[in-house]
Amino acid sequence: MAASESAPLTGRRIRVAVIGTGAIARDSHLPALARLAEEGETELVAAVDVDPGSVESFCAVAGGAPRPYTDLDRMLREQSPDLVTICTPPTLHRGQSVAALRAGAWVWCEKPPVPSLADFDAVEAEEGKDGGPYASIVFQHRFGSGTRHVRRLLAERAMGRPLVAHCQTTWYRDTAYYAVPWRGRWQTEGGGPAMGHGIHQMDLLLDLLGPWSEVRAMAGRLVHDVETEDVSTALVRFANGAMATVVNSVLSPDEVSRIRIDCERATVELTHLYGHSNDNWRITPARDVPAADAARWQDFGTDLPSSHLEQLRELVASMYAGERPRSSGAEGRTSLELIAALYKSAFTDATVRAGEIGPGDPFYAAMHGGALGWAPGGGGQVDGGEGAVADEEAAA
C-alpha cells in the first residue's frame, strides 16, 4: 500500500506529533521542536505513549496545546500530523513508521531505525514516490558546522585522498543498563553496541568517506549476559580505496567517540562523547603544506554543534521543498547495511561485500542471521572463527 499524499506545506507551520515520551523525546526532540516553534516553523499538536501518565506530563511540560493520546491510530486520524517523530524502542519502529507514512505523515525515527534490513525495506516501500512523505533516521552527528566543513574539504580533495581511518565508539554500560527488558536482545534492540551505540560514528564515517565496499569483522560477548555482542571490531575498505578500523564497545570505562582520517596532506580528527562542536575537531597539516592552505582548513565558520535541532532544521527545509531528506532512503540504509555485514562477517568468519545481503540471505531478515551461539535459543559455543568466544569464557 502506498503512502497517502501529504497536505501542502507551503505557507504554514508543520504539524508535529511525538511518539514515545521517554527521555530522548523530552531531552532532545522537545527542545528542538520548541526552538523551531519559536521561529514559526513547527507546531507540536500531539504526543502518544502507552503510559497515560507519561504522555500527559510530556504534554504539560511541552506547553501550548498538544493533545495526549495512548492510541497511535486514533491520533493519526484525528490530528493528521505532517511529521511524526518516533522515540520508542526499536522493535516498534517498523509498525509505527508504516502507520504514519500511510496516514500521509513524514517520519523522523530514532536509531536504530528498525531491527533488520528487511524491516527497513518494508518501511521504504511505504514512502511517497515524488515529494514525500519520506522516512528519515535520527543521525544528528552528520549535522552541524564541523561535519559540514570537513565533508566539504574531503569532497573537494583539498587535503588529498583519504587513506586510513579509525572509527571508535568505546563506551561503558553496567549490568543495571541491561536490566531494561528490551536491551541486549536481538528481537527488541536489533543488536549490541554496533547497532545501538556505534551506529552514530559509523554513519558519520560513511557520510564523510562515502560508500564502503567490504568488511571483515569479529564480535564477542565478553562481560554481559545478553543475546547480542558487547564488543566488536572490524576492518572496512571504502570504494575510494581508504581503509578503516572500527571498534564498538560497551566495556570501556574511559569513554570516547572518535573518528580519525589520515589524508595525503593532513589528518582530521574528531574526539567527543555524545555530540560535537567546532572545538572537537582538529586538523593537522603535513609538514610541507603551505600556511595559507592550513589556515583555510582551520576556518570552521560559525559554531553550530551537532544536534537534533540542526538535523530537524534541514528536515523541515526538505519537507517544505518536497525533497527527500538526508539520512533517508538509500543514504540512510547504507549504515544499517554496514552493520548487517559486520555481524555476518563476525558470525561466519568471512569477508562480506557491499550489496550481497538481500532477500534470501539470513542476515537480511535478522542481524544475528540465525548463527549458532548468537541467534536467540541457539545456545552453546559462539560460532564465528576469529570472533568466537565460548559462553563459559564470557562468564569468566
Side-chain angles (χ1 to χ4, degrees):
M1 177 177 178
S4 302
E5 291 186 6
S6 296
L9 300 173
T10 305
R12 66 176 180 84
R13 290 174 181 258
I14 288 175
R15 294 165 51 81
V16 184
V18 174
I19 315 303
T21 55
I24 193 66
R26 294 169 187 257
D27 298 342
S28 298
H29 287 249
L30 187 54
L33 289 168
R35 179 64 178 273
L36 290 188
E38 292 175 359
E39 298 172 6
E41 300 284 342
T42 63
E43 175 188 5
L44 181 59
V45 297
V48 182
D49 199 289
V50 294
D51 181 345
S54 177
V55 70
E56 288 169 7
S57 67
F58 178 88
C59 289
V61 170
R67 283 197 56 187
Y69 288 84
T70 56
D71 185 294
L72 173 59
D73 292 333
R74 180 184 174 191
M75 184 280 292
L76 292 171
R77 287 194 308 269
E78 295 182 357
Q79 297 296 328
S80 299
D82 305 307
L83 172 65
V84 164
T85 75
I86 298 179
C87 308
T88 53
T91 189
L92 302 174
H93 290 176
R94 172 176 171 170
Q96 292 171 342
S97 295
V98 167
L101 288 167
R102 288 181 176 180
W106 294 52
V107 171
W108 192 36
C109 184
E110 277 292 337
K111 59 80 186 168
V114 283
S116 71
L117 288 170
D119 289 325
F120 188 95
D121 291 347
V123 171
E124 189 177 9
E126 300 291 340
E127 293 182 328
K129 302 304 180 185
D130 296 301
Y134 299 115
S136 58
I137 309 166
V138 177
F139 279 146
Q140 74 273 19
H141 290 238
R142 288 189 182 200
F143 299 83
S145 53
T147 301
R148 183 170 59 248
H149 177 65
V150 171
R151 185 191 304 112
R152 182 170 58 249
L153 292 178
L154 290 169
E156 295 172 352
R157 294 291 175 91
M159 300 176 294
R161 291 182 299 126
L163 304 172
V164 183
H166 306 275
C167 180
Q168 177 183 354
T169 305
T170 44
W171 294 357
Y172 185 80
R173 298 294 183 266
D174 59 16
T175 54
Y177 176 83
Y178 286 103
V180 177
W182 57 267
R183 288 178 177 155
R185 299 180 182 276
W186 294 106
Q187 183 177 1
T188 50
E189 194 170 18
M195 187 72 150
H197 305 85
I199 188 172
H200 275 306
Q201 297 314 300
M202 287 188 286
D203 178 75
L204 178 54
L205 186 70
L206 290 169
D207 187 51
L208 295 173
L209 289 184
W212 62 277
S213 59
E214 62 180 341
V215 61
R216 191 75 164 85
M218 298 189 298
R221 190 186 294 128
L222 304 184
V223 172
H224 295 292
D225 183 17
V226 292
E227 291 180 351
T228 66
E229 87 288 2
D230 56 17
V231 62
S232 68
T233 63
L235 302 176
V236 181
R237 190 189 306 274
F238 285 80
N240 61 17
M243 300 174 65
T245 61
V246 177
V247 180
N248 301 303
S249 166
V250 289
L251 311 178
S252 309
D254 184 9
E255 297 184 292
V256 68
S257 302
R258 180 171 175 258
I259 286 178
R260 170 176 168 144
I261 302 173
D262 295 321
C263 300
E264 292 173 304
R265 304 180 67 208
T267 292
V268 181
E269 188 166 9
L270 169 66
T271 304
H272 66 112
L273 188 55
Y274 299 138
H276 51 84
S277 62
N278 287 354
D279 289 343
N280 295 112
W281 293 85
R282 184 177 67 183
I283 298 179
T284 304
R287 286 188 290 270
D288 59 350
V289 168
D293 286 351
R296 180 172 60 86
W297 298 344
Q298 303 293 345
D299 183 8
F300 283 74
T302 302
D303 190 10
L304 296 172
S306 66
S307 64
H308 284 67
L309 175 60
E310 288 308 307
Q311 182 173 2
L312 184 59
R313 283 189 194 282
E314 190 167 312
L315 173 58
V316 166
S318 296
M319 292 179 68
Y320 280 127
E323 298 174 346
R324 176 176 288 283
R326 286 201 294 151
S327 298
S328 71
E331 189 189 67
R333 190 182 191 276
T334 184
S335 298
L336 201 66
E337 185 188 7
L338 176 58
I339 294 169
L342 183 155
Y343 284 133
K344 181 176 181 178
S345 176
F347 299 164
T348 65
D349 194 22
T351 298
V352 178
R353 290 171 176 80
E356 79 172 55
I357 301 178
D361 189 305
F363 288 88
Y364 177 75
M367 289 290 175
H368 56 69
L372 179 63
W374 288 103
Q381 176 82 18
V382 172
D383 187 20
E386 292 176 276
V389 54
D391 286 344
E392 291 80 5
E393 292 172 338

